[in-house]
Amino acid sequence: MKLESVLQFLENKTILVTGGAGFLAKIFVEKVLRVQPNVKKLHLLLRAADAKSATQRLHSEVFGKELFRVVKEKYGPNFSSLISEKVTVVPGDITCEDLGVADSDLREQLWAQIDVIVNLAATTNFDERYDVALGVNTYGAKYVTEFAKKCSQLMVLVHVSTSYVSGETEGLIKESPYRMGETLNGVSGLDIDAEKRIVEEKLDELRKEGASEKETRVAMKELGIKRAKVYGWPNTYVFTKAMGEMLVGELKGDMSVVIIRPTIVTSTYKEPFPGWAEGVRTVDSLLVGYATGKLTCFLGDINGVVDMIPADMVVNSMMVAMVAHANQPPADAIYQVGSSVRNPVQYSSLQDYGLRYFTQNPWRNKDGKPIKVGKVTVLKSMASFRRYMAIRYLMWLKGLELVNTAFCHSFNDTCSNLNRKLQFVMRLVELYRPYLFFKGIFDDTNTEKLRAAARESGSVETDLFYFDPKCIDWEGYAMNTHIPGIVKYVFK
């Protein structure tokens, strides 16, 4: 594998980025503009009704973020003219053929000029509505691949998936493709078009029943989980992402395609500055629940490995892989980008970092008083969790219900609110359970070969395009970068 300079590759290139307002997409765009202002054009596909609303989204949801602070400082008063010259917003919809680009002249222009497509559009909610997840994660991947095949100058398509398409697989998880119709539990009959028909039939049934918007949403969420479990996946997100990979592999033909599978993506390690984050991820919700005193127990294998990787390393791996596979013969180019093989960190370490950080920097409640944190109760099985909930909450709820009956239902609201909260917690636990007890390690042999090729090439700017998790000191990163970043940018 011979690699050229990434900076030279990016020069004078036209790149289409889908999901342009997403977390990784913004980091990708910022990086390109900061390190290679001589890129020819960045087209950002944003879901919008028209060009005006797409432009508004571009400025509020992308360039309005603090992430662009460094690049704005670098170019000063010239930043606006740089954006005007280099960035074009494309109003569209990844769930539609031709990516929903209504302007036929713009479509033809894109097909004639695009060198690289980076597909970052996704919905990452574990229990997303099935119709939404299937549209974005599965059929979105199909429509991007079909769009790419119409681009006469295309050098490479980079499709970003997730390592967790492996579901609850244990042991060493290889960087292997998913073939059309393949399932995790060996059950035959997975047909993606049939899944779409199941969704359409269910929606039609709900309409005929006069279901409310809320009832429809709940039914579609439940359908997604149900369909995922039929074929061995634990939730709608990873099921629909796996089917997306199948379609990319099936439809790519002789096109050069790279699939990037990050693990749990965390705040930036170094660039454009340490600690930038957006949105709540599994690890972060646990940290903040703990800091605010709402998390009194931890369910899972405390000695289990939590596979995390900073967002800037994911973006750097995408860029190096893009260069490595541009204009190359089609191959199963799959890169799992994580830390569990080369620099694993355990939940017990994260618990320790959280205790120390929030002891030194306590979260303050709405009255401004510091919230004291301590060691949490560790529950090592679902059975122990259910016992804990029964003793701590369910018995109290049953008692309250008896009192409520005795006092002519005066506490109806209190009972229903508590019951609703308990049901919510139990649902969340069921959703996250596969990851709290996860026993897989993500093989990154291909990714390590890519790192080695970059180091040995003498051309790749490895100081700029770093993605080796071995360089991460997890304690320093957690205490000085990630947790402060989450507090500042996500829960400010």
Side-chain angles (χ1 to χ4, degrees):
M1 187 188 294
K2 185 166 172 52
L3 272 70
E4 64 175 285
S5 158
V6 180
L7 293 181
Q8 286 180 18
F9 177 84
L10 291 171
E11 188 172 1
N12 207 35
K13 292 297 187 297
T14 297
I15 303 172
L16 172 65
V17 181
T18 68
F23 177 50
L24 286 175
K26 285 196 278 278
I27 295 173
F28 179 88
V29 169
E30 190 279 339
K31 179 92 176 194
V32 173
L33 291 173
R34 177 164 45 83
V35 303
Q36 185 46 284
N38 293 322
V39 66
K40 186 173 184 180
K41 188 72 76 173
L42 285 169
H43 294 288
L44 305 190
L45 184 80
L46 294 176
R47 179 178 286 190
D50 51 43
K52 183 181 178 182
S53 54
T55 302
Q56 288 173 342
R57 281 196 71 194
L58 179 72
H59 289 289
S60 63
E61 297 179 33
V62 182
F63 296 122
K65 298 293 183 180
E66 190 174 347
L67 173 71
F68 288 85
R69 181 186 77 211
V70 174
V71 72
K72 285 177 180 176
E73 290 170 356
K74 178 176 180 178
Y75 297 113
N78 297 321
F79 179 72
S80 294
S81 59
L82 177 76
I83 296 306
S84 299
E85 180 188 350
K86 301 295 182 181
V87 181
T88 301
V89 63
V90 179
D93 186 343
I94 197 173
T95 66
C96 302
E97 291 187 5
D98 291 335
L99 307 184
V101 180
D103 185 333
S104 58
D105 291 338
L106 176 57
R107 280 202 309 270
E108 294 290 341
Q109 178 190 335
L110 293 171
W111 289 336
Q113 297 178 359
I114 286 174
D115 298 300
V116 176
I117 295 179
V118 179
N119 181 26
L120 281 158
T123 174
T124 58
N125 295 333
F126 285 2
D127 66 339
E128 180 63 88
R129 287 177 55 139
Y130 193 31
D131 52 337
V132 172
L134 196 68
V136 176
N137 295 341
T138 305
Y139 279 88
K142 174 186 178 181
Y143 296 139
V144 168
T145 307
E146 290 177 342
F147 192 91
K149 290 171 83 170
K150 296 176 183 178
C151 297
S152 58
Q153 303 297 316
L154 191 80
M155 302 171 76
V156 64
L157 163 64
V158 179
H159 174 72
V160 180
S161 184
T162 170
S163 289
Y164 292 95
V165 288
S166 59
E168 297 176 74
T169 305
E170 298 183 4
L172 190 66
I173 301 163
K174 298 286 189 178
E175 294 162 298
S176 303
Y178 285 94
R179 305 301 182 192
M180 189 65 81
E182 183 178 343
T183 63
L184 293 183
N185 59 6
V187 172
S188 61
L190 174 58
D191 180 323
I192 296 172
D193 288 334
E195 292 301 310
K196 188 177 183 181
R197 288 193 295 273
I198 289 169
V199 164
E200 290 167 349
E201 288 167 6
K202 184 65 177 179
L203 286 170
D204 188 49
E205 177 189 315
L206 290 163
R207 276 191 292 270
K208 287 176 180 174
E209 292 173 354
S212 67
E213 187 177 329
K214 181 181 178 181
E215 288 168 338
T216 300
R217 184 173 67 251
V218 170
M220 294 313 295
K221 284 188 172 190
E222 290 176 350
L223 179 63
I225 297 289
K226 179 182 174 184
R227 296 305 300 168
K229 289 186 174 180
V230 167
Y231 297 111
W233 278 273
N235 58 58
T236 310
Y237 167 54
V238 293
F239 179 43
T240 53
K241 289 296 281 184
M243 289 191 289
E245 282 196 23
M246 292 175 196
L247 285 169
V248 171
E250 181 77 6
L251 298 171
K252 68 182 180 182
D254 60 358
M255 190 166 54
S256 181
V257 174
V258 172
I259 292 178
I260 302 288
R261 291 179 183 163
T263 54
I264 298 171
V265 182
T266 56
S267 62
T268 52
Y269 175 69
K270 187 161 64 173
E271 291 188 10
F273 51 86
W276 190 76
E278 188 176 63
V280 182
R281 280 154 180 82
T282 316
V283 176
D284 306 333
S285 57
L286 291 173
L287 280 171
V288 174
Y290 173 68
T292 54
K294 294 174 183 174
L295 185 70
T296 56
C297 67
F298 174 83
L299 171 66
D301 180 3
I302 199 72
N303 296 315
V305 171
V306 51
D307 198 321
M308 308 186 299
I309 190 75
D312 47 339
M313 290 193 178
V314 177
V315 166
N316 290 340
S317 70
M318 289 161 50
M319 290 182 168
V320 176
M322 176 194 305
V323 174
H325 292 277
N327 288 331
Q328 294 301 306
D332 291 326
I334 298 172
Y335 296 99
Q336 290 180 167
V337 185
S339 58
S340 55
V341 167
R342 304 199 181 267
N343 190 8
V345 61
Q346 295 179 320
Y347 276 111
S348 57
S349 296
L350 292 185
Q351 184 187 38
D352 177 57
Y353 304 151
L355 172 62
R356 286 159 50 200
Y357 182 85
F358 290 113
T359 299
Q360 296 165 16
N361 310 275
W363 195 285
R364 296 187 178 273
N365 63 21
K366 59 185 177 182
D367 298 323
K369 294 179 180 177
I371 297 172
K372 189 176 181 181
V373 295
K375 291 222 168 194
V376 298
T377 303
V378 177
L379 306 171
K380 298 179 180 179
S381 68
M382 285 298 291
S384 62
F385 173 73
R386 291 190 185 98
R387 283 196 300 272
Y388 177 85
M389 293 298 287
I391 294 167
R392 189 158 182 146
Y393 297 107
L394 293 175
M395 287 173 64
W396 190 81
L397 176 61
K398 293 297 180 187
L400 183 61
E401 287 172 347
L402 288 173
V403 172
N404 187 39
T405 304
F407 283 85
C408 304
H409 301 279
S410 302
F411 301 102
N412 271 352
D413 287 347
T414 305
C415 284
S416 60
N417 284 339
L418 181 58
N419 192 48
R420 191 163 52 248
K421 286 176 182 176
L422 283 171
Q423 293 299 321
F424 176 72
V425 168
M426 297 304 284
R427 180 175 173 78
L428 276 183
V429 164
E430 187 55 37
L431 275 176
Y432 285 112
R433 176 195 54 76
Y435 306 103
L436 297 172
F437 293 99
F438 191 70
K439 298 190 184 304
I441 296 293
F442 293 107
D443 178 39
D444 67 346
T445 299
N446 293 345
T447 309
E448 179 58 20
K449 286 178 182 175
L450 187 67
R451 280 190 285 263
R455 286 191 299 268
E456 294 162 9
S457 69
S459 301
V460 175
E461 301 80 0
T462 51
D463 56 330
L464 275 178
F465 301 100
Y466 52 88
F467 57 105
D468 189 345
K470 277 187 177 178
C471 71
I472 303 172
D473 166 19
W474 287 115
E475 181 178 0
Y477 171 72
M479 298 289 288
N480 304 319
T481 300
H482 183 66
I483 301 177
I486 292 302
V487 171
K488 180 176 181 180
Y489 296 110
V490 180
F491 295 96
K492 56 187 173 183

